[in-house]
Amino acid sequence: MNFTYHLPTKIFFGSTCIADNIVEFSFWGMRPLIVTGRSSAKTSGALADVETVLKQLGMEWSLFDRIEENPSFATVEDGGAAARAHDADMIIGIGGGSALDAAKAIAVLAVNEIPARKLFDGNFPAQPLPVIAIPLTAGTGSEVTQYSILTDTERQTKRSFASRALFPKAAFLDARYTQSLSRTITINTAIDALSHAVEGYLSRRSTAMSDHLAIDAIRHFSGMFNALGRDSLTLAEREELLYVSLLGGMVIAQTGTTMIHSLGYSLTYFRHIPHGRANGLLLAEALRFMQPAAPGKIASVLAALEIPDIDTLKKTLSSLLGPEQPWTREELHTFPEIALQAANIANTPRIPDQNDLKTILAASC
Ligand code: NAP
Ligand code: FE
């Protein structure tokens, strides 16, 4: 056994974890910029809980609530300017993966006046501001990863940049905030979390530690198939999903994702298919392709899911996700071509070529 395991984020999990741990907010600064999407921080109740804490601590905060889904360079550059205008010394991200990833980018841009596209060079001289992350989806696990994923219109894809300085200092996971999620977003984001655990487990960079977390995540997810098929979930079920999402994030922080995410980015960029749904559409056919290279691990994934075979997994995922419009000839050509340029493709246990990706995509709708 030979591995490293690095997770510098302090995790607080459970209902009322923000109000119960006020002092944690005081360690990182006194002038936070709160980074959120347009409405979910308010409707979920998370923003009010954070503001109560900041008031009690006598902090002066400013709110930047303009993060869109799949955040753009322009938005995070505006966020960096807003942080400087407020003289912010910390960033509090509240939201789904989009707001949390934007919060990380803004933490860098606040103290490095560079165009957002330069973030991908990994060359920012000043250390980013500390980030506190409060996820509202269960989900991306971004609250415990060193990644930030932005939309690159020049390259016509989504791209990830990574730095160990981007790990949030603290993450507060309270499943009550996910109760305001629609059924569709609940399903899409839950499948993203599953995909992280499965991809991380199969990744060439997986380790004994990450495998342990991944299998636990997949087992917890298996009990959720029925719940996700219903119209509403209990708080206990939402807590399960948030736990899966947390574990999934802890896994990919060590292992990265694989070709499922690489190809999924094109589905989101060109077709506006939500991130988790994109991964879910591809998952079963990607497993079929990877099977010859990792038969034992894929058997373990299916066993942990309590699903007999890949065909049954495909049917189960399809019944949750619903149908997708068939891909055009041009999409079947372009999406694989772009996916092959993504760095995470190299983590896949069986490296696909463009034709392989085309076959996987064609069978995935
Ligand atoms: P999202 O894009 O953050 O949010 C999707 C939608 O859900 C938004 O309209 C948002 O509203 C709404 N929403 C979020 N939480 C809600 C709540 N509690 N109640 C009601 N509505 C809510 O979705 P996501 O799937 O969490 O994040 C996807 C992004 O994360 C993608 O860009 C993906 O590439 C990235 N990602 C990052 C990592 C990582 O490690 N950093 C890993 C995987 C994926 P508002 O706009 O009002 O907030
Ligand atoms: Fe993801």
Side-chain angles (χ1 to χ4, degrees), residues 139-140 149 192-193 195-196 199 252 257 261 265 275-276 279:
T140 66
I149 297 160
D192 188 30
S195 201
H196 294 162
E199 289 178 65
I252 60 168
T257 53
H261 270 65
Y265 291 154
H275 173 70
N279 296 330

Side-chain angles (χ1 to χ4, degrees), residues 95-252:
S98 296
L100 300 188
D101 285 0
K104 295 174 188 173
I106 290 169
V108 178
L109 297 174
V111 287
N112 296 278
E113 282 201 57
I114 53 172
R117 70 184 150 72
K118 292 266 178 203
L119 291 169
F120 298 95
D121 301 344
N123 189 6
F124 27 89
Q127 280 291 301
L129 296 180
V131 174
I132 290 180
I134 301 161
L136 304 183
T137 59
T140 66
S142 177
E143 67 277 8
V144 288
T145 73
Q146 69 280 44
Y147 310 122
S148 169
I149 297 160
L150 303 173
T151 299
D152 184 340
T153 48
E154 262 170 46
R155 294 202 185 196
Q156 296 196 304
T157 188
K158 299 183 59 168
R159 281 176 78 198
S160 159
F161 74 100
S163 162
R164 58 196 294 175
L166 289 186
F167 276 109
K169 301 295 180 198
F172 293 88
L173 296 93
D174 183 334
R176 294 174 310 158
Y177 303 144
T178 65
Q179 286 175 303
S180 51
L181 284 167
S182 68
R183 177 164 185 263
T184 307
I185 301 180
T186 301
I187 291 172
N188 291 342
T189 48
I191 290 177
D192 188 30
L194 171 66
S195 201
H196 294 162
V198 172
E199 289 178 65
Y201 185 61
L202 298 171
S203 166
R204 286 171 186 253
R205 289 161 53 201
S206 70
T207 67
M209 277 292 289
S210 66
D211 282 357
H212 179 74
L213 297 167
I215 282 293
D216 194 34
I218 298 167
R219 282 205 191 105
H220 276 268
F221 187 91
S222 76
M224 290 294 106
F225 276 121
N226 285 339
L228 287 170
R230 292 199 308 267
D231 275 343
S232 67
L233 279 80
T234 64
L235 181 58
E237 288 162 346
R238 292 214 174 263
E239 204 158 66
E240 278 283 295
L241 291 175
L242 195 58
Y243 182 64
V244 173
S245 165
L246 168 70
L247 294 181
M250 291 166 72
V251 170
I252 60 168

Side-chain angles (χ1 to χ4, degrees), residues 20-51:
D20 296 345
N21 295 284
I22 293 181
V23 68
E24 295 294 329
F25 285 79
S26 66
F27 296 153
W28 307 108
M30 283 304 284
R31 295 184 62 79
L33 178 77
I34 303 178
V35 174
T36 73
R38 290 195 178 83
S39 62
S40 66
K42 292 162 197 126
T43 49
S44 64
L47 180 61
D49 285 355
V50 168
E51 288 183 332

